[in-house]
Amino acid sequence: MGTMGPVLAACPPSVGPADALLQGYRHCLREALRHLVEHENTPTADPRVLALTTHLARRQAALELDEELRRRQLEQLEQQHLRRRLLDHYFRGVDLHCMASPGAR
């Protein structure tokens, strides 16, 4: 099933791989902090807790940004495709020629 298998298996079908990965980071952060604080009695101001929190939060932010950029690129491609289909539909059968401006040769 790969490295994403357990995360994807635990998520509802409506959740995509990117959302499942982000949910995995959030879950990892919560569980790691809970373990450090509750089971190892590590203070929340401990450098290990702060470093882990910072690391996972930065990685999560990078993944969220990457996903947002991917979604925007997909939207742009869909819009370009739609414009092309509309032009093809409206100008079907029309023979368009590019004409030079008068005096240009």
Side-chain angles (χ1 to χ4, degrees), residues 29-46 48-50 52-53:
L29 177 59
R30 282 191 308 271
E31 286 301 308
L33 292 177
R34 186 185 66 76
H35 178 78
L36 285 172
V37 173
E38 292 178 9
H39 295 285
E40 294 187 14
N41 297 318
T42 307
T44 56
D46 185 279
R48 292 175 296 166
V49 173
L50 297 174
L52 180 62
T53 303

Side-chain angles (χ1 to χ4, degrees), residues 1-12 15 17 20-21 23-25 27:
M1 207 185 249
T3 58
M4 287 287 295
V7 173
L8 290 175
C11 293
V15 174
L21 185 62
Q23 285 181 1
Y25 267 87
H27 179 74

Side-chain angles (χ1 to χ4, degrees), residues 85-99:
R85 287 184 61 204
L86 286 172
L87 286 173
D88 287 348
H89 173 76
Y90 285 113
F91 292 104
R92 183 177 292 132
V94 176
D95 192 14
L96 300 175
H97 295 281
C98 186
M99 298 175 57

